[in-house]
Amino acid sequence: MTSAPAAPAAPATANTALTVEKVGGRIGAVISGVRLGGDLDEATVSAIRAAILEHKVVFFRDQQHLDADSHEAFARLLGTPVAHPTVPSVDGRYALGIDNDHGGRANQWHTDVTFVPAYPAFSILRAEVIPPYGGNTLWSNTAAAYAELPEPLRVLADSLRGVHTNDYDYAAVRPDAPSEALEQHRKVFTSVTFQTEHPVVRVHPETGERTLILGNFLQKLTGFNRQDSRALIDVLQSHVERPENTVRWQWRAGDVAIWDNRATQHYGVDDSDDHERTLRRVTIDGDVPVGVDGRRSVLLAPESVPEPEYGIASGASTDGVLAEA
Ligand SMILES: [Fe+2]
């Protein structure tokens, strides 16, 4: 869709009424007065970007006008869209399906795609069909979780590194899922097995804040046995999951949520029974995390991120990280 040429000083949408209202004390804000699309003016885009960086996740109501094209066009105002490294898109381009009918419900705390080095900076999720109840999503502020750690634990966390992988035990995660759907999802999701070592604490490239890189793709801390590793991860992760660091969103069709994937984890609650829940996600390219000590994340396997069917893959912009490995 192309919009007709407009006078530069008079954008088609009136975005002067943009307001940002906090939903939670530490995370989340609702942005009103904006009609999302690829034609937003620069001032509006930078106001949205600043709100995402400050509040970690922002919500927009009533964006039913968006379709796959305008969703992607808006996403391009925040950066470069990237494809999921293994799961094919639903539109042949960048739209990833988040549907509850294929075994892909994300009812675990995670940060998107942390099994590759340069995992996405932003995710933009648009609700098409919402169940009559349930199916909420929770987000947590991983900068706030880090900041509230007792000093000795922060010092320890600063020195840790952990290995993230997309190959984990799906059956243990979703014991009630129909085995066929589960198996199919697992097959696609793990068609290539990735392993990436990240610092547990990264320095945010835009805000300078320290944030925790944990979540369900994290398998093991480097240099620890499995038992100690699990115990340490659990202690750190418990701060991420504290209700004070989270916000919970009750979706309506037409809602859009945008989160800073470098400063959050999220959790899709799987409690809407067999009702349809259909969302579309476009992710924006990130950069390779840098730890407090200046060490960067490293792709351990495979040797490079394979090219997807369309465009570039999330994490493909390794930016020299392989040469250091
Ligand atoms: Fe996710």
Side-chain angles (χ1 to χ4, degrees):
M1 189 188 76
T2 51
S3 50
T13 47
N15 289 313
T16 46
L18 182 149
T19 58
V20 181
E21 285 175 286
K22 289 179 75 156
V23 194
R26 296 186 189 164
I27 178 169
V30 171
I31 299 185
S32 311
V34 182
R35 182 182 160 91
L36 297 178
D39 60 349
L40 290 178
D41 60 84
E42 238 180 86
T44 303
V45 174
S46 50
I48 292 172
R49 192 182 185 95
I52 302 167
L53 294 178
E54 182 180 350
H55 302 289
K56 315 308 184 201
V57 58
V58 297
F59 307 103
F60 301 80
R61 293 286 196 193
D62 304 320
Q63 306 293 324
Q64 285 91 340
H65 60 278
L66 287 176
D67 58 11
D69 283 346
S70 49
H71 184 174
E72 183 183 320
F74 166 68
R76 285 182 187 282
L77 300 176
L78 293 175
T80 306
V82 282
H84 192 278
T86 57
V87 181
S89 76
V90 290
D91 67 346
R93 293 170 64 88
Y94 291 110
L96 185 77
I98 312 282
D99 307 338
N100 63 359
D101 61 352
H102 61 23
R105 303 179 200 206
N107 58 337
Q108 284 201 102
W109 282 104
H110 67 284
T111 296
D112 286 334
V113 204
T114 57
F115 47 85
V116 297
Y119 60 84
F122 301 111
S123 290
I124 303 160
L125 188 58
R126 176 171 63 88
E128 286 191 343
V129 181
I130 289 305
Y133 54 85
N136 296 174
T137 302
L138 287 82
W139 285 264
S140 171
N141 181 341
T142 58
Y146 174 83
E148 75 171 21
L149 294 177
E151 169 75 13
L153 202 46
R154 251 181 300 170
V155 171
L156 172 64
D158 286 348
S159 71
L160 298 175
R161 292 173 73 89
V163 176
H164 294 236
T165 179
N166 57 331
D167 190 12
Y168 59 88
D169 188 355
Y170 274 77
V173 172
R174 299 216 46 217
D176 56 339
S179 57
E180 210 174 291
L182 190 67
E183 182 52 27
Q184 185 52 32
H185 180 70
R186 194 198 63 78
K187 236 187 227 165
V188 172
F189 197 83
T190 61
S191 55
V192 178
T193 299
F194 293 90
Q195 278 198 322
T196 295
E197 188 192 65
H198 289 294
V200 164
V201 179
R202 80 178 284 187
V203 181
H204 193 290
E206 293 190 71
T207 65
E209 288 176 303
R210 294 182 184 186
T211 65
L212 293 166
I213 313 181
L214 301 166
N216 74 324
F217 298 121
L218 173 56
Q219 288 292 288
K220 195 176 172 297
L221 296 177
T222 305
F224 290 86
N225 68 29
R226 215 152 265 289
Q227 195 180 356
D228 291 347
S229 174
R230 181 42 53 195
L232 283 170
I233 291 170
D234 286 348
V235 168
L236 296 170
Q237 178 67 22
S238 72
H239 290 267
V240 174
E241 296 176 18
R242 280 190 69 210
E244 286 79 359
N245 292 327
T246 70
V247 66
R248 181 174 183 136
W249 188 248
Q250 192 170 3
W251 292 96
R252 285 188 221 147
D255 284 358
V256 170
I258 309 176
W259 61 96
D260 184 342
N261 197 50
R262 303 158 297 184
T264 52
Q265 284 186 30
H266 55 280
Y267 183 116
V269 183
D270 183 7
D271 64 347
S272 47
D273 299 320
D274 292 328
H275 292 289
E276 187 183 351
R277 181 177 183 272
T278 302
L279 298 99
R280 295 286 176 263
R281 188 182 92 194
V282 176
T283 49
I284 299 300
D285 204 12
D287 51 7
V288 179
V290 179
V292 173
D293 59 2
R295 283 177 69 202
R296 290 144 51 89
S297 303
V298 176
L299 180 66
L300 304 175
E303 286 187 358
S304 64
V305 177
E307 283 184 18
E309 281 175 19
Y310 180 86
I312 57 168
S314 177
S317 50
T318 46
D319 187 22
V321 71
L322 290 169
E324 291 177 15

